[in-house]
């Protein structure tokens, strides 16, 4: 007798021998016992999990000499003929090669004939999704109302390609991938029967490589026995099929978490030189990261591991690379790039990290601990000014004294040339944070933004007087002459705009209060030792002044941002620095 491969020799012959599909076999057995048989059955699932074998067992159960029975004997002529595939009453049709409408019409003509031996005439169509649209349409009426002695059994790996009119006329059974433990146990049973020494770890490795397909696992066992003989070891399975050991996958993950790029690339190179399947290596990495994620979120895993959000990013990253690598010619290149990018992903601070840390600092709490990662190589730092360097903003003491002398009411006029000349010529102290900026600095920014940006609406700001800040209230004096020209109807809207601009500068909601005064461009500061003569503004000069103030204001804003304690603390925690792009 010729040799029979394990996949055919150990094909299940009864419902009890079907592995991992109890939800299907029990339903079919109960249906036969209760005589609740449908006219058509549809078995769906991936390759090698028992669709065709279950269909044949169902055919034997219906046409067995003792049947219909849920436990076919397997020794009667009907059972033997069905198992051998030469029964006249069970017609197995390949949907890929018999997919035309002519074949279906021939089938419709033959269903009228009675079965030769058993009670039923059974049509088993494998890969039924390969039938043409015309063939499906020709089958509809017969499938819905076949003769009493006819049963249809369909099997397919792609149920989504079937027309809804076909699936609605069938009882559908979805067969699942078989668990790794069940496949390994079955392989050990075959090895014991065949008197083969099969290492238990080797059986598990084959089962994992089969990816839920029992037929694939039996074929792999056949192949490894042909190579090794009667003794199969774990290393033999890894070498024959190019599998990577779990220990190697664990070392690669450890190198990934430690940002050891050189060590990770060395492992990939060694695996590639040993002929390992790098696509399967990525799949094993995804599985290992998944296990680590589950252990982390359930509290089983404790230690120095990335947080769940990072693990999710890595799983998505490697899964996407795995999908692309299936058609890539250079798999080593894609694997190396994927690992390098994954290390960079772990080294990056996410937006959630930044927001959480800044929120903790702002609330006065200790910042949350970040995952320890090696610091990247620092880029050359731009030279910083010494601590004693003059800052961009400060109110000179002389100016404050002059303002206090000449304006007991506490109102100042920032638009006067004398005031500006005094401020620019005086030495400047370190800039204050935005939240504690002096009122004159705030109003100077508002004048720059509004008066020079929208002169038609806010030119009067250059002749107004600005009071000290009282809590969240800012006071302003407006010349009566200007107020009379504009009228009361426009002031509420203008105040709202000014309040919004002040809120942007101070970082909180403020209120603006104004009153009227009898003055018009009244100077309040003493002139500088060498005052600049006040000349009437020409259009060119008027256009040049806003540009100068805006440039100065930008420098002041940069200094305020860099000297903000919150920003300094965040840069210290994350180990980063602010770089200006030229």
């Amino acid at each position: 007798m010729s040799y029979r491969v394990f996949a055919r020799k150990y094909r299940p012959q009864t419902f009890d021998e079907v592995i991992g599909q109890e939800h299907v076999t029990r339903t079919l057995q109960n249906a036969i016992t209760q005589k609740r048989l449908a006219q058509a059955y549809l078995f769906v699932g991936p390759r090698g999990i028992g669709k065709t074998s279950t269909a044949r067992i169902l055919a034997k159960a219906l046409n067995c000499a003792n049947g219909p029975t849920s436990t076919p004997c397997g020794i009667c002529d009907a059972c033997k003929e069905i198992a051998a595939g030469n029964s006249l009453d069970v017609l197995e049709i390949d949907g890929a090669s018999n997919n035309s409408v002519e074949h279906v019409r021939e089938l419709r003509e033959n269903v009228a004939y009675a079965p030769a031996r058993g009670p039923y005439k059974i049509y088993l169509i494998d890969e039924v999704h390969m039938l043409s649209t015309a063939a499906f349409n020709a089958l509809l009426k017969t499938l819905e109302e076949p003769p009493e002695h006819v049963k249809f059994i369909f099997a397919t790996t792609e149920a989504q390609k079937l027309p809804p009119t076909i699936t609605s006329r069938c009882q559908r059974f979805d067969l699942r991938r078989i668990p790794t433990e069940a496949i390994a146990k079955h392989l050990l049973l075959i090895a014991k029967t065949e008197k083969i020494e099969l290492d238990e770890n080797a059986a598990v490795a084959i089962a994992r490589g089969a990816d839920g397909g029992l037929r694939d696992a039996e074929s792999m066992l056949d192949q490894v026995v042909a190579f090794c003989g009667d003794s199969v070891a774990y290393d033999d399975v890894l070498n024959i099929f190019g599998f990577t050991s779990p220990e190697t996958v664990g070392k690669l993950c450890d190198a990934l978490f430690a940002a050891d790029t050189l060590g990770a690339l060395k492992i990939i190179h060694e695996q590639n030189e040993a002929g390992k399947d790098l696509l399967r290596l990525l799949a094993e990495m995804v599985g290992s990261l998944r296990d680590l994620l589950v252990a982390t979120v359930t509290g089983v895993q404790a230690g120095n591991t990335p947080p769940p959000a990072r693990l999710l990013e890595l799983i998505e990253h490697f899964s996407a690379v795995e999908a692309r690598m299936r058609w890539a010619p250079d798999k080593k290149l894609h694997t190396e790039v994927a690992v390098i990018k994954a290390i960079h992903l772990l080294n990056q601070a996410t937006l959630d990290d930044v927001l959480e840390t800044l929120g903790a600092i702002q609330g006065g709490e200790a910042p949350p601990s970040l995952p320890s990662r090696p610091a990247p190589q620092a880029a050359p730092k731009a030279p910083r000014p010494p601590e004693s360097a003059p800052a961009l903003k400060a109110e000179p003491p002389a100016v404050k004294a002059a303002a206090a002398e000449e304006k007991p009411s506490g109102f100042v006029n920032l638009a006067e040339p004398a005031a500006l000349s005094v401020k620019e010529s005086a030495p400047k102290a370190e800039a204050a944070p935005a939240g504690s900026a002096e009122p004159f600095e705030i109003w100077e920014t508002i004048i720059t933004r509004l008066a020079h940006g929208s002169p038609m609406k806010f030119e009067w700001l250059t002749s107004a007087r600005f009071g000290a800040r009282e809590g969240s209230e800012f006071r302003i004096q407006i010349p009566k002459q200007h107020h009379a020209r504009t009228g009361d109807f426009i002031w509420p809207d203008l105040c709202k705009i000014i309040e919004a601009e002040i809120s942007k500068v101070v970082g909180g909601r403020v209120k603006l209060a104004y009153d009227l005064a009898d003055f018009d461009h009244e100077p309040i500061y003493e002139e500088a030792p060498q005052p600049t003569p006040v000349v009437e503004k020409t259009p060119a000069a008027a256009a040049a002044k806003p540009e100068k103030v805006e440039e100065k204001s930008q420098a002041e804003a940069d200094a305020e941002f860099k000297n903000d304690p919150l920003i300094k603390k965040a840069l210290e925690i994350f180990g980063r620095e602010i770089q200006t792009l030229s």
Side-chain angles (χ1 to χ4, degrees):
M1 184 177 179
S2 61
Y3 175 75
R4 297 179 66 193
V5 296
F6 292 159
R8 294 183 59 191
K9 185 176 181 179
Y10 292 95
R11 195 167 195 166
Q13 301 298 323
T14 63
F15 286 121
D16 294 337
E17 294 179 4
V18 178
I19 298 176
Q21 310 297 344
E22 288 78 9
H23 65 291
V24 175
T25 57
R26 180 179 298 180
T27 304
L28 294 175
Q29 286 179 302
N30 292 339
I32 295 173
T33 303
Q34 300 172 13
K35 302 186 185 304
R36 302 175 63 90
L37 299 174
Q39 77 274 10
Y41 294 91
L42 175 62
F43 295 145
V44 179
R47 69 180 190 278
I49 60 173
K51 297 185 300 295
T52 306
S53 297
T54 304
R56 287 184 178 180
I57 295 172
L58 176 59
K60 287 195 296 184
L62 296 178
N63 278 0
C64 179
N66 301 326
T69 175
S70 59
T71 55
C73 64
I75 58 176
C76 66
D77 293 339
C79 289
K80 290 181 179 179
E81 291 174 356
I82 295 173
N86 53 18
S87 174
L88 297 177
D89 294 335
V90 179
L91 304 178
E92 294 192 25
I93 302 173
D94 179 17
S97 56
N98 299 275
N99 56 3
S100 65
V101 67
E102 288 78 11
H103 292 100
V104 174
R105 287 172 180 169
E106 183 180 353
L107 182 149
R108 288 171 50 190
E109 295 174 358
N110 292 332
V111 296
Y113 298 106
R117 182 193 299 273
Y120 294 102
K121 195 167 189 176
I122 302 171
Y123 290 89
L124 199 164
I125 304 179
D126 199 6
E127 300 300 331
V128 68
H129 66 273
M130 298 294 290
L131 295 183
S132 64
T133 303
F136 278 126
N137 292 334
L139 185 61
L140 286 178
K141 188 62 176 178
T142 304
L143 182 63
E144 185 174 14
E145 297 178 358
E148 292 293 333
H149 60 272
V150 174
K151 301 293 180 185
F152 288 97
I153 304 177
F154 301 143
T156 180
T157 56
E158 301 183 51
Q160 72 277 4
K161 294 185 178 180
L162 293 178
T165 51
I166 293 293
T167 57
S168 64
R169 289 168 167 81
C170 305
Q171 281 192 8
R172 172 170 172 165
F173 292 89
D174 288 88
L175 282 75
R176 307 164 182 165
R177 293 187 181 275
I178 304 174
T180 300
E181 296 78 7
I183 295 178
K185 184 178 179 181
H186 180 69
L187 295 179
L188 292 172
L189 180 61
I190 293 177
K192 183 178 180 180
T193 305
E194 297 289 333
K195 295 182 172 47
I196 299 172
E197 294 183 8
L198 177 62
D199 184 68
E200 186 173 352
N201 292 331
V204 174
I206 294 175
R208 290 174 62 89
D211 194 22
L214 183 60
R215 184 176 63 213
D216 290 352
E218 292 171 339
S219 299
M220 293 168 65
L221 178 61
D222 231 332
Q223 181 178 348
V224 75
V225 169
F227 176 81
C228 301
D230 296 337
S231 179
V232 179
Y234 175 63
D235 291 337
D236 295 329
V237 175
L238 298 183
N239 293 331
I240 292 174
F241 300 110
F243 296 163
T244 302
S245 65
E247 293 79 14
T248 303
V249 176
K251 291 180 181 179
L252 184 57
C253 290
D254 291 340
L256 194 69
F257 300 154
D260 184 7
T261 307
L262 182 61
L265 294 180
K266 182 179 179 182
I267 293 175
I268 295 174
H269 176 74
E270 292 174 350
Q271 295 299 303
N272 184 68
E273 292 298 316
K276 304 298 184 180
D277 186 357
L278 297 183
L279 183 61
R280 187 174 291 277
L281 172 61
L282 277 186
E284 293 288 342
M285 281 193 64
V286 172
S288 179
L289 292 173
R290 176 263 174 197
D291 295 340
L292 184 59
L293 174 64
V294 173
T296 303
V297 297
T298 56
V300 177
Q301 177 73 23
N304 188 15
T305 58
R310 293 294 191 183
L311 293 176
L312 285 172
E313 290 181 6
L314 293 180
I315 291 174
E316 293 177 358
H317 168 62
F318 283 118
S319 298
V321 174
E322 181 189 358
R324 295 196 301 267
M325 273 183 59
R326 296 183 184 276
W327 316 108
D330 192 349
K331 292 181 170 52
K332 180 184 178 184
L333 173 64
H334 282 71
T335 307
E336 290 174 340
V337 172
V339 169
I340 294 174
K341 185 175 180 179
I343 292 175
H344 280 278
L345 286 176
L346 289 175
N347 191 44
Q348 290 177 351
T350 64
L351 181 59
D352 290 339
D353 294 337
V354 175
L355 293 177
E356 185 179 359
T357 304
L358 294 180
I361 297 173
Q362 193 171 18
E365 303 174 0
S369 59
L370 298 174
S372 58
R373 297 188 291 271
Q377 185 176 0
K381 297 183 179 180
R384 296 189 178 184
E387 294 296 331
S388 59
L392 294 178
K393 297 180 182 178
E395 186 174 0
V399 175
K400 288 185 179 179
E405 267 183 26
E406 298 192 19
K407 292 295 173 183
S409 61
F411 289 92
V412 297
N413 188 344
L414 297 180
E416 290 298 326
L420 294 177
S421 63
V422 172
K423 286 193 296 180
E424 291 174 358
S425 62
K428 301 178 181 179
E430 185 178 358
S436 62
E438 296 293 339
F440 86 93
E441 297 173 341
I442 298 173
W443 284 113
E444 185 179 30
T445 304
I446 300 304
I447 291 176
T448 302
R449 291 187 179 182
L450 295 179
H452 299 296
S454 303
M456 296 298 294
K457 291 183 179 179
F458 298 99
E459 188 177 8
W460 55 271
L461 280 173
T462 60
S463 59
R465 291 175 175 174
F466 307 96
R469 177 179 180 179
E470 300 177 3
S472 62
E473 185 177 273
F474 283 74
R475 299 193 61 83
I476 182 173
Q477 280 188 348
I478 304 167
K480 290 181 179 179
Q481 299 88 335
H482 181 79
H483 186 272
R485 290 195 299 269
T486 56
D488 291 330
F489 68 93
I490 198 173
W491 286 101
D493 295 333
L494 296 179
C495 288
K496 289 181 181 179
I497 298 176
I498 299 174
E499 287 177 356
E501 291 296 328
I502 299 176
S503 299
K504 293 179 183 178
V505 176
V506 302
R509 295 183 61 87
V510 299
K511 182 175 179 58
L512 181 66
Y514 70 92
D515 50 21
L516 306 180
D518 190 7
F519 67 92
D520 190 13
H521 294 279
E522 181 181 292
I524 62 171
Y525 290 119
E526 293 181 2
E527 292 189 355
Q530 297 180 354
T532 303
V534 180
V535 296
E536 185 175 355
K537 296 180 181 178
T538 62
K545 183 177 179 180
E547 181 179 354
K548 179 180 179 181
V549 176
E550 182 177 356
E551 182 179 355
K552 178 181 177 182
S553 176
Q554 181 63 37
E556 292 174 352
D558 292 343
E560 284 185 358
F561 181 79
K562 292 180 180 180
N563 291 315
D564 190 290
L566 184 61
I567 299 300
K568 286 184 176 181
K569 187 64 176 179
L571 294 176
E572 178 183 349
I573 292 175
F574 291 104
R576 298 294 187 264
E577 64 178 6
I578 298 175
Q579 294 184 354
T580 304
L581 299 179
S582 57

